[in-house]
Amino acid sequence: MKTGIIKPRTLSGFMELLPKEQLIFDRIRDTLSTVYRQYGFLPLDTPILEHSEILLAKAGGETEKQIYRFSKGDTDLTMRFDLTVPLAKYVAKNYSALSFPFRRYQIGKVYRGERAQKGRFREFYQSDIDIIGDGSLALMNDAEIPSIIYDIFNRLGLTDFTIRINNRKVLTGFFSMLNLDDKAEDIMRIVDKLEKIGQDAVAKELQDIGISEEDCEKILTFISFKGTNEETIAFLNHLKAQNDVFNLGVEELTFVTNAIQAYQVPEANLQIDLTIARGLDYYTGTVYETCFNKHPEIGSICSGGRYENLAGYYTDKQLPGVGISIGLTRLFYILNEREYLRQDTLAPADVLVIPMTDDVAPSIRISNAFRKAGISTQIYFEQKKFKAKIGYADKLSIPFAIFLGEDELSEQKVALKNLSTGEQQILSLEDAIQVVTSSLSEKENQSIIDTELTSRSSL
Amino acid sequence: MKTGIIKPRTLSGFMELLPKEQLIFDRIRDTLSTVYRQYGFLPLDTPILEHSEILLAKAGGETEKQIYRFSKGDTDLTMRFDLTVPLAKYVAKNYSALSFPFRRYQIGKVYRGERAQKGRFREFYQSDIDIIGDGSLALMNDAEIPSIIYDIFNRLGLTDFTIRINNRKVLTGFFSMLNLDDKAEDIMRIVDKLEKIGQDAVAKELQDIGISEEDCEKILTFISFKGTNEETIAFLNHLKAQNDVFNLGVEELTFVTNAIQAYQVPEANLQIDLTIARGLDYYTGTVYETCFNKHPEIGSICSGGRYENLAGYYTDKQLPGVGISIGLTRLFYILNEREYLRQDTLAPADVLVIPMTDDVAPSIRISNAFRKAGISTQIYFEQKKFKAKIGYADKLSIPFAIFLGEDELSEQKVALKNLSTGEQQILSLEDAIQVVTSSLSEKENQSIIDTELTSRSSL
């Protein structure tokens, strides 16, 4: 006996997409993995649950509050809240089985119990790449990362974005020149908020931690320098020779910025920005952020940097690395909400075969042939009115329908209908496969982000 | 200050693969999605966490004990333990936005706190497809499922497997003819264990629930019938006309078995087996199991069936469906442990470019060209001895290396080395791309399961 019906609902802060959205989401995710693979990154898939002791080795109070932590039996468990800590554990654990530089990508769900609000998710995909060295890692790797970011967004159809690059040593060195070494971390955390809260608020926060008005002025003037990459590098070189850390930072930044040119990332998409600090104290060199030029309010959609040591909590080995992370769920949410995603170009099938006779065997035979040719094909088996069958294909945006009636079967032909143009042709099986295949390869080249939409509007 | 090192470890029962294993795992997973998409299934990705009330609407005591359930704030949460309950919730919740038949696939992790033992996992991938009808669903869909199973295993390189098919109505009808209607569910659960525990144990268990020795004999004789599909159908037809449910079951089984032939699934891979009952009481018609012929001890690697109503706990709508599930993590574990997986054919990159000059710009330019041609390419940037660089490619099974020295650069050539044959050629960039591309397309056609291994040994 049924005991009443439970209202079907999904947890708040947990994204669950309708089929058409899911197709687009998957296309974006697949684009990311394709580019990562093109650059020789290994896939990694670590558990979602780990010993709390492992995940919280480093965590501070803020993280502790936001995590999903619970016990099962005697085991203290935590759901991963990022993909970096599991990577650190993995590399430390499997150190002797890995080849360095170890290049890995991971696209996976992470969990944070943040306050529920629009556009904030508690379960969301992160998409990370990291290159880990054993003892050392060539600086050239820092130059490769922007190229990967560029390729990804370019493939998705985005053009109006900027990869901003900086070097933490430039900042720490500069603060050191002002004799503010002991406050460097705090200053870094505060200036990182510049875009969000503005100059005045940053100045106030800096003064709150005891920075003099004069130093405050100097810091703000320094980080606010605007110019071409060449001009910024000239500006920095002009300040050199006073501090070793600063000098090294300028050299690294110069080297990386020059090296990126070989990757043919347009200067319009890559800019040195001295305000980029990344709040986290584990970045030690190059840092990256990526933003939509006309939507600074969205903040960075792809961030990362160079760190000295990945896995100090789990091993004595020195494992420097460089990496970036894309908040995939958030990126999708933004693009979807602002209607920048091309609608109705993705469908569960390329062809819907509609049998018009009682014997469905010929429909099956023809579908097998289509599938063998790499065409995704569904047969509509249900007993419905003809209009309902076509309506089904329409609603799912399936681009082609094939009708198989007595006439077609006796002539060994198929009736192929292009559902967007309405054009219908009687063709041999081979010709029908040909028509569908060439239409699909045209579509393949369409990016999922609609460039017309993005230029017309403001992304 | 560091406070000592925490031993890096992964929870027991949680699979975490080394890079080469992960490449193979991903290839298998991608093969599954490719086939699902070829048949027009929509991807679905539901949350891993749900309200406990939702996931446990149906669950009995056994499930409750095995689940990962906890509270966060006021919310009672459970990690999903299968992909069926989330599907039921999804379809009920989004009913009006979906087009029926709704064909979805989902490959995702599920969680069961089972007793830890070798080959048993607490976090594992399930790979499910279901076809859901609105009110009704054509029986032809039941005939399509075995074709999908066949395509998947065939693409993976498996040949020696049997899809076993039966119909629950045949069994319930038969038990009803023995006037055992009230015990039908229990009998079903017991005979389902036939392969695992043997005839004698089944007979004993049947007698324990009060079945007479004579009926026991009849049941065992009936389900043990062996013959070709044609012979089994003749045998069943011979028993017809005594019970409506039985008759309907025989008709359905006959229809489905005949219809499968149009899909060109070889009879060697598809057999009616009257012992297949599936323990779960929600299957009501066609049922499937799939096993390796020479490894009955592994049990079914792909099971499912037809059900009357997917989402009765969440909606009044009648939603019949048919589906199957593959325990992907377990399947991978079995194939990997028995060494049936082709080793060293998958690598993070197709080409390792090794710069032999200080200026790496030409290496970057050439790598860009390779990537544009769809070839996965890594540049080795580290300052190491030449031997270490080649050793890196070897360890990662990267099939080709490209050396770029002064000579090659001045002649606008590249030195391309095939690392498995040792052959080295000086080629133009275009020719090098050509050589690598054709070698890769040969490899593409290799199945991941080594058919030589499987015929030589016993899978």
Side-chain angles (χ1 to χ4, degrees), chain A residues 7 28 54 58 92 122 157 195 313 322 358 410-411 427 435 438:
Chain A
K7 187 170 182 288
I28 296 176
I54 296 288
K58 175 190 187 172
R122 291 171 170 170
E195 195 152 50
Y313 290 91
V322 61
D358 283 346
S410 64
E411 292 173 32
L427 299 169
V435 169
S438 56

Side-chain angles (χ1 to χ4, degrees), chain A residues 6 10 16-17 37-38 45 48 67 72 89-90 101 109 123 125 138 141 313 371 376-377 382 392, chain B residues 6 10 16-17 37-38 45 67 72 89-90 101 109 123 125 138 141 313 371 376-377 382 392:
Chain A
I6 296 165
T10 301
E16 192 174 63
L17 301 172
R37 287 183 194 214
Q38 292 272 296
D45 184 7
I48 282 173
I67 57 169
K72 185 160 175 71
K89 181 213 72 175
Y90 181 87
K109 288 178 170 178
E123 176 185 69
Y125 277 95
N141 292 288
Y313 290 91
R371 288 186 192 119
S376 159
T377 307
E382 310 310 304
Y392 180 80
Chain B
I6 297 164
T10 300
E16 192 174 63
L17 301 172
R37 286 183 195 216
Q38 291 273 296
D45 183 7
I67 56 170
K72 183 158 177 72
K89 180 212 74 176
Y90 181 88
K109 287 178 169 176
E123 177 186 68
Y125 276 95
N141 292 287
Y313 290 91
R371 289 186 192 120
S376 158
T377 307
E382 310 310 305
Y392 180 80

Side-chain angles (χ1 to χ4, degrees), chain B residues 15-112:
Chain B
M15 182 182 268
E16 192 174 63
L17 301 172
L18 286 172
K20 283 196 184 180
E21 298 170 322
Q22 189 70 56
L23 282 168
I24 299 173
F25 185 94
D26 283 17
R27 168 66 72 94
I28 296 175
R29 193 184 53 194
D30 291 350
T31 302
L32 267 53
S33 356
T34 302
V35 174
Y36 298 153
R37 286 183 195 216
Q38 291 273 296
Y39 280 84
F41 286 84
L42 281 159
L44 183 60
D45 183 7
T46 62
I48 282 174
L49 278 178
E50 300 264 11
H51 288 288
S52 298
E53 178 195 58
I54 295 288
L55 291 192
L56 305 175
K58 177 189 185 170
E62 202 42 44
T63 311
E64 287 260 14
K65 255 186 286 170
Q66 295 187 349
I67 56 170
Y68 287 86
R69 179 179 183 172
F70 62 98
S71 291
K72 183 158 177 72
D74 295 334
T75 319
D76 182 357
L77 302 165
T78 294
M79 296 177 82
R80 67 183 180 206
F81 47 83
D82 72 8
L83 301 177
T84 305
V85 182
L87 171 68
K89 180 212 74 176
Y90 181 88
V91 176
K93 181 167 175 275
N94 300 300
Y95 171 81
S96 56
L98 302 179
S99 302
F100 294 91
F102 175 59
R103 300 158 71 88
R104 85 86 175 79
Y105 75 90
Q106 182 165 10
I107 304 178
K109 287 178 169 176
V110 304
Y111 296 81
R112 294 190 196 165

